Amino acid sequence: MGLEFQRDGTRSAATLTGELTIYTVGELKAALAAELLAVDELEIDLTGVTEMDTAGLQLMLIAKRYPGKTVQ
């Protein structure tokens, strides 16, 4: 699983590649949470994700519902 951020002021774009599964969400959750603390808006690009299970979907829902932040 790869995760890259490109930050521009209070906005950030995250690009995820590889698997977004129960085996990878633990490390991704911490990285996404840290980025959300630093910015107001986060756009997540999932086009490079090759596999996603319910744990990956839950992580995306948690990010989307992050209080006071805009996540797309």
Side-chain angles (χ1 to χ4, degrees):
M1 171 53 64
L3 175 60
E4 292 183 21
F5 294 106
Q6 291 186 339
R7 197 179 301 172
D8 181 17
T10 61
R11 296 178 55 130
S12 182
T15 303
L16 294 169
T17 57
E19 295 181 3
L20 185 54
T21 65
I22 192 168
Y23 305 107
T24 61
V25 295
E27 62 190 69
L28 293 174
K29 183 178 179 181
L32 285 173
E35 191 69 8
L36 281 166
L37 287 174
V39 298
D40 295 326
E41 297 178 36
L42 177 63
E43 181 177 324
I44 303 173
D45 179 359
L46 299 173
T47 57
V49 173
T50 57
E51 182 179 349
M52 184 185 327
D53 64 8
T54 56
L57 178 60
Q58 287 175 335
L59 178 62
M60 293 298 100
L61 291 172
I62 289 168
K64 179 70 176 165
R65 295 178 179 157
Y66 207 89
K69 306 296 179 167
T70 300
V71 178
Q72 298 180 17

